[in-house]
Amino acid sequence: MDSDSPVSFSLSQRVVHWVTALLVSFNLLFSDGMEQWNRAMRRTGSATADQIASANIHAYVGIAILILVALRLVLRFKSGVPVAPPEEPAIFRLGAKLAHALLYLLLIAMPFTGIGAYYFGNGAAGGLHADVLKVLLWIVIVAHVFGALVHQFYWKTDVLRRMTVG
Ligand code: HEM
Ligand code: HEM
């Protein structure tokens, strides 16, 4: 065990985690505006002012996520993260590490492929964004939330606490 590691996530790390979770959920659940813009552009080569406005919301929220992830990596580097609780079996500890790494990667890859599609008209990036990465992100988030619930109710660890009240 690393004796220098903190017992909880710092306040800034916690705030950034939950703001990110909110913004990611928003873009995953309410992407219709961006999809409508995309369909209009493909069919007619132009979009109405309303379609552009709602597509921009998706784009700006996605760019905000990218900035928050960068900030988060800096905070992680500066403050470190608490060690996994001893109640958690080694294989799940590895699973959690992998899930966190994948979440970071996907939260970087999603905005970049989105930017490629939206601002540079790259269809391949759009396909990756909307068909492949989106599905992967959903899977990892469901596993992540399931993991948090298993911690709370089955292993009864303090993991959820250190990402909430600290
Ligand atoms: C929807 C989007 C979400 C994303 C993208 C996300 C992302 C992440 C990432 C990347 C970490 C790793 C932090 C680090 O070690 O630097 C983390 C930690 C954590 N998340 Fe989430 N999260 C989301 C939602 C949730 C929800 C809904 C819950 C609770 C039910 C939750 C509970 C936790 C907990 C407890 C930790 C700390 C794990 C530990 O102590 O090792 N997350 N999250
Ligand atoms: C983590 C951040 C993001 C998430 C979670 C996200 C999520 C989504 C989702 C769920 C869709 C609908 C896919 C479908 O079922 O058809 C979508 C489509 C799209 N998003 Fe994002 N997005 C993010 C960031 C961005 C950014 C930053 C941009 C642009 C600046 C962007 C541009 C687009 C475009 C152009 C489409 C339509 C792509 C196509 O269908 O070919 N996204 N996004």
Side-chain angles (χ1 to χ4, degrees):
M1 273 205 192
D2 181 356
S3 57
D4 289 340
S5 59
V7 289
S8 172
F9 286 91
S10 69
L11 179 62
S12 356
Q13 279 174 311
R14 283 178 270 145
V15 169
V16 176
H17 173 268
W18 292 108
V19 174
T20 307
L22 202 73
L23 296 180
V24 170
S25 308
F26 177 84
N27 260 11
L28 280 176
L29 296 172
F30 307 110
S31 54
D32 319 23
M34 181 53 98
E35 286 170 53
Q36 273 170 25
W37 171 88
N38 192 47
R39 263 195 301 276
M41 290 302 283
R42 268 206 233 150
R43 280 196 201 134
T44 65
S46 67
T48 63
D50 273 359
Q51 285 168 333
I52 295 171
S54 36
N56 276 340
I57 296 177
H58 181 95
Y60 300 153
V61 167
I63 292 167
I65 292 169
L66 184 62
I67 294 168
L68 286 176
V69 168
L71 175 66
R72 196 154 164 185
L73 285 169
V74 172
L75 289 173
R76 198 178 200 279
F77 187 69
K78 263 182 49 189
S79 328
V81 289
V83 290
E87 294 90 337
E88 185 179 31
I91 182 82
F92 287 94
R93 214 171 293 176
L94 191 69
K97 273 209 168 112
L98 192 72
H100 295 164
L102 269 174
L103 281 170
Y104 277 116
L105 273 177
L106 287 168
L107 294 191
I108 293 169
M110 276 306 273
F112 271 111
T113 47
I115 289 169
Y118 192 54
Y119 295 114
F120 300 97
N122 188 316
L128 204 60
H129 182 86
D131 300 328
V132 183
L133 299 178
K134 175 194 81 176
V135 179
L136 277 178
L137 184 58
W138 267 116
I139 295 172
V140 187
I141 288 176
V142 168
H144 178 65
V145 174
F146 182 72
L149 294 177
V150 172
H151 265 281
Q152 183 68 18
F153 298 109
Y154 186 67
W155 293 317
K156 300 192 180 4
T157 65
D158 65 344
V159 159
L160 199 56
R161 186 185 168 82
R162 60 199 200 178
M163 195 43 119
T164 49
V165 285

